[in-house]
Amino acid sequence: MIVEDHKDIRLYLKVLFGNEYNLLMATNGQEGVDMATKEMPDLIISDVMMPVKDGFECCREVKGESGNMQYSFYYADSEGGG
């Protein structure tokens, strides 16, 4: 599952991974929580800074809702240093 608020980045990730994986796409952290608890994806790739709910809060809620630590999260952020 991809949780990303920027349309262009979502499209890029869909092009990159869409032929190999069945992808779910969420546009913000709350949508990610709702979708993850319903669909139970194997992996969640999440932006950090998003409207409604950030990636860290999304992770905390998804792992709390599931009752266990079965979800693998990978955080992707475009903020660069220096």
mmCIF file of all heavy atoms in Angstrom, residues 31-53:
data_model
loop_
_atom_site.group_PDB
_atom_site.id
_atom_site.type_symbol
_atom_site.label_atom_id
_atom_site.label_comp_id
_atom_site.label_asym_id
_atom_site.label_seq_id
_atom_site.Cartn_x
_atom_site.Cartn_y
_atom_site.Cartn_z
ATOM 1 N N GLU A 31 -6.794 8.186 5.510
ATOM 2 C CA GLU A 31 -7.225 7.246 4.478
ATOM 3 C C GLU A 31 -6.370 5.981 4.538
ATOM 4 O O GLU A 31 -6.869 4.870 4.360
ATOM 5 C CB GLU A 31 -7.104 7.915 3.110
ATOM 6 C CG GLU A 31 -7.848 7.233 2.009
ATOM 7 C CD GLU A 31 -7.778 8.021 0.710
ATOM 8 O OE1 GLU A 31 -8.261 9.164 0.665
ATOM 9 O OE2 GLU A 31 -7.210 7.471 -0.259
ATOM 10 N N GLY A 32 -5.086 6.145 4.834
ATOM 11 C CA GLY A 32 -4.191 5.004 4.983
ATOM 12 C C GLY A 32 -4.594 4.103 6.139
ATOM 13 O O GLY A 32 -4.599 2.874 6.003
ATOM 14 N N VAL A 33 -4.936 4.690 7.271
ATOM 15 C CA VAL A 33 -5.389 3.912 8.434
ATOM 16 C C VAL A 33 -6.646 3.128 8.075
ATOM 17 O O VAL A 33 -6.740 1.921 8.315
ATOM 18 C CB VAL A 33 -5.659 4.829 9.654
ATOM 19 C CG1 VAL A 33 -6.354 4.067 10.760
ATOM 20 C CG2 VAL A 33 -4.361 5.447 10.155
ATOM 21 N N ASP A 34 -7.616 3.826 7.484
ATOM 22 C CA ASP A 34 -8.878 3.178 7.137
ATOM 23 C C ASP A 34 -8.673 2.022 6.153
ATOM 24 O O ASP A 34 -9.220 0.938 6.329
ATOM 25 C CB ASP A 34 -9.854 4.203 6.536
ATOM 26 C CG ASP A 34 -10.237 5.296 7.518
ATOM 27 O OD1 ASP A 34 -10.058 5.105 8.752
ATOM 28 O OD2 ASP A 34 -10.709 6.359 7.063
ATOM 29 N N MET A 35 -7.864 2.265 5.143
ATOM 30 C CA MET A 35 -7.631 1.262 4.111
ATOM 31 C C MET A 35 -6.830 0.081 4.655
ATOM 32 O O MET A 35 -7.131 -1.076 4.362
ATOM 33 C CB MET A 35 -6.904 1.906 2.935
ATOM 34 C CG MET A 35 -6.920 1.094 1.674
ATOM 35 S SD MET A 35 -6.138 1.960 0.293
ATOM 36 C CE MET A 35 -7.294 3.294 0.022
ATOM 37 N N ALA A 36 -5.806 0.362 5.456
ATOM 38 C CA ALA A 36 -4.955 -0.708 5.992
ATOM 39 C C ALA A 36 -5.722 -1.628 6.927
ATOM 40 O O ALA A 36 -5.531 -2.849 6.888
ATOM 41 C CB ALA A 36 -3.746 -0.111 6.710
ATOM 42 N N THR A 37 -6.583 -1.075 7.768
ATOM 43 C CA THR A 37 -7.332 -1.925 8.692
ATOM 44 C C THR A 37 -8.376 -2.764 7.969
ATOM 45 O O THR A 37 -8.713 -3.849 8.419
ATOM 46 C CB THR A 37 -7.981 -1.093 9.814
ATOM 47 O OG1 THR A 37 -8.780 -0.058 9.247
ATOM 48 C CG2 THR A 37 -6.941 -0.485 10.718
ATOM 49 N N LYS A 38 -8.821 -2.285 6.820
ATOM 50 C CA LYS A 38 -9.802 -3.036 6.031
ATOM 51 C C LYS A 38 -9.127 -4.068 5.124
ATOM 52 O O LYS A 38 -9.567 -5.215 5.034
ATOM 53 C CB LYS A 38 -10.627 -2.076 5.182
ATOM 54 C CG LYS A 38 -11.667 -2.751 4.331
ATOM 55 C CD LYS A 38 -12.442 -1.746 3.504
ATOM 56 C CE LYS A 38 -13.422 -2.465 2.595
ATOM 57 N NZ LYS A 38 -14.043 -1.562 1.636
ATOM 58 N N GLU A 39 -8.043 -3.687 4.460
ATOM 59 C CA GLU A 39 -7.421 -4.522 3.434
ATOM 60 C C GLU A 39 -6.245 -5.371 3.922
ATOM 61 O O GLU A 39 -5.865 -6.314 3.248
ATOM 62 C CB GLU A 39 -6.943 -3.639 2.276
ATOM 63 C CG GLU A 39 -8.042 -2.824 1.624
ATOM 64 C CD GLU A 39 -9.051 -3.685 0.878
ATOM 65 O OE1 GLU A 39 -8.702 -4.794 0.433
ATOM 66 O OE2 GLU A 39 -10.203 -3.227 0.734
ATOM 67 N N MET A 40 -5.626 -5.007 5.030
ATOM 68 C CA MET A 40 -4.500 -5.723 5.624
ATOM 69 C C MET A 40 -3.357 -5.975 4.629
ATOM 70 O O MET A 40 -3.024 -7.120 4.314
ATOM 71 C CB MET A 40 -4.969 -7.022 6.272
ATOM 72 C CG MET A 40 -6.031 -6.752 7.316
ATOM 73 S SD MET A 40 -6.442 -8.135 8.354
ATOM 74 C CE MET A 40 -4.973 -8.299 9.304
ATOM 75 N N PRO A 41 -2.707 -4.918 4.144
ATOM 76 C CA PRO A 41 -1.615 -5.081 3.168
ATOM 77 C C PRO A 41 -0.368 -5.695 3.806
ATOM 78 O O PRO A 41 -0.178 -5.637 5.009
ATOM 79 C CB PRO A 41 -1.343 -3.641 2.723
ATOM 80 C CG PRO A 41 -1.726 -2.818 3.904
ATOM 81 C CD PRO A 41 -2.909 -3.515 4.507
ATOM 82 N N ASP A 42 0.485 -6.270 2.970
ATOM 83 C CA ASP A 42 1.740 -6.866 3.443
ATOM 84 C C ASP A 42 2.772 -5.805 3.796
ATOM 85 O O ASP A 42 3.594 -6.004 4.685
ATOM 86 C CB ASP A 42 2.325 -7.794 2.382
ATOM 87 C CG ASP A 42 1.435 -8.995 2.129
ATOM 88 O OD1 ASP A 42 0.861 -9.525 3.097
ATOM 89 O OD2 ASP A 42 1.315 -9.399 0.964
ATOM 90 N N LEU A 43 2.765 -4.693 3.062
ATOM 91 C CA LEU A 43 3.756 -3.638 3.236
ATOM 92 C C LEU A 43 3.074 -2.293 3.033
ATOM 93 O O LEU A 43 2.226 -2.159 2.148
ATOM 94 C CB LEU A 43 4.882 -3.798 2.210
ATOM 95 C CG LEU A 43 5.922 -2.680 2.117
ATOM 96 C CD1 LEU A 43 6.779 -2.644 3.379
ATOM 97 C CD2 LEU A 43 6.789 -2.860 0.884
ATOM 98 N N ILE A 44 3.467 -1.304 3.833
ATOM 99 C CA ILE A 44 2.950 0.052 3.684
ATOM 100 C C ILE A 44 4.128 0.990 3.479
ATOM 101 O O ILE A 44 5.030 1.044 4.313
ATOM 102 C CB ILE A 44 2.131 0.486 4.920
ATOM 103 C CG1 ILE A 44 0.944 -0.458 5.121
ATOM 104 C CG2 ILE A 44 1.663 1.948 4.762
ATOM 105 C CD1 ILE A 44 0.195 -0.264 6.422
ATOM 106 N N ILE A 45 4.125 1.684 2.351
ATOM 107 C CA ILE A 45 5.115 2.719 2.070
ATOM 108 C C ILE A 45 4.407 4.043 2.275
ATOM 109 O O ILE A 45 3.408 4.323 1.618
ATOM 110 C CB ILE A 45 5.661 2.618 0.630
ATOM 111 C CG1 ILE A 45 6.324 1.265 0.420
ATOM 112 C CG2 ILE A 45 6.634 3.763 0.351
ATOM 113 C CD1 ILE A 45 6.742 0.996 -1.006
ATOM 114 N N SER A 46 4.903 4.839 3.216
ATOM 115 C CA SER A 46 4.189 6.048 3.615
ATOM 116 C C SER A 46 5.086 7.279 3.583
ATOM 117 O O SER A 46 6.238 7.234 4.025
ATOM 118 C CB SER A 46 3.638 5.876 5.034
ATOM 119 O OG SER A 46 2.981 7.041 5.465
ATOM 120 N N ASP A 47 4.524 8.360 3.078
ATOM 121 C CA ASP A 47 5.138 9.672 3.209
ATOM 122 C C ASP A 47 5.123 10.029 4.692
ATOM 123 O O ASP A 47 4.325 9.493 5.467
ATOM 124 C CB ASP A 47 4.324 10.682 2.397
ATOM 125 C CG ASP A 47 4.972 12.052 2.310
ATOM 126 O OD1 ASP A 47 6.110 12.217 2.772
ATOM 127 O OD2 ASP A 47 4.326 12.959 1.768
ATOM 128 N N VAL A 48 5.988 10.917 5.100
ATOM 129 C CA VAL A 48 6.016 11.348 6.497
ATOM 130 C C VAL A 48 5.102 12.550 6.706
ATOM 131 O O VAL A 48 4.229 12.540 7.566
ATOM 132 C CB VAL A 48 7.467 11.675 6.949
ATOM 133 C CG1 VAL A 48 7.473 12.279 8.340
ATOM 134 C CG2 VAL A 48 8.320 10.420 6.910
ATOM 135 N N MET A 49 5.284 13.578 5.891
ATOM 136 C CA MET A 49 4.509 14.809 6.069
ATOM 137 C C MET A 49 3.321 14.816 5.115
ATOM 138 O O MET A 49 3.495 14.882 3.898
ATOM 139 C CB MET A 49 5.397 16.031 5.826
ATOM 140 C CG MET A 49 6.525 16.138 6.824
ATOM 141 S SD MET A 49 7.496 17.652 6.731
ATOM 142 C CE MET A 49 7.917 17.763 5.024
ATOM 143 N N MET A 50 2.109 14.705 5.692
ATOM 144 C CA MET A 50 0.878 14.685 4.903
ATOM 145 C C MET A 50 -0.210 15.438 5.659
ATOM 146 O O MET A 50 -0.145 15.565 6.875
ATOM 147 C CB MET A 50 0.392 13.247 4.695
ATOM 148 C CG MET A 50 1.289 12.385 3.872
ATOM 149 S SD MET A 50 0.629 10.719 3.707
ATOM 150 C CE MET A 50 0.908 10.058 5.342
ATOM 151 N N PRO A 51 -1.222 15.891 4.936
ATOM 152 C CA PRO A 51 -2.360 16.514 5.607
ATOM 153 C C PRO A 51 -3.205 15.462 6.331
ATOM 154 O O PRO A 51 -3.073 14.271 6.075
ATOM 155 C CB PRO A 51 -3.146 17.157 4.466
ATOM 156 C CG PRO A 51 -2.799 16.359 3.268
ATOM 157 C CD PRO A 51 -1.379 15.897 3.477
ATOM 158 N N VAL A 52 -4.049 15.908 7.201
ATOM 159 C CA VAL A 52 -4.997 15.105 7.978
ATOM 160 C C VAL A 52 -4.274 14.295 9.047
ATOM 161 O O VAL A 52 -4.553 14.422 10.223
ATOM 162 C CB VAL A 52 -5.894 14.204 7.109
ATOM 163 C CG1 VAL A 52 -6.913 13.470 7.956
ATOM 164 C CG2 VAL A 52 -6.581 14.992 5.993
ATOM 165 N N LYS A 53 -3.336 13.441 8.655
ATOM 166 C CA LYS A 53 -2.589 12.610 9.613
ATOM 167 C C LYS A 53 -1.233 12.301 8.996
ATOM 168 O O LYS A 53 -1.152 11.867 7.857
ATOM 169 C CB LYS A 53 -3.377 11.316 9.860
ATOM 170 C CG LYS A 53 -2.874 10.478 10.978
ATOM 171 C CD LYS A 53 -3.885 9.408 11.295
ATOM 172 C CE LYS A 53 -5.115 10.107 11.847
ATOM 173 N NZ LYS A 53 -5.939 9.344 12.703
#
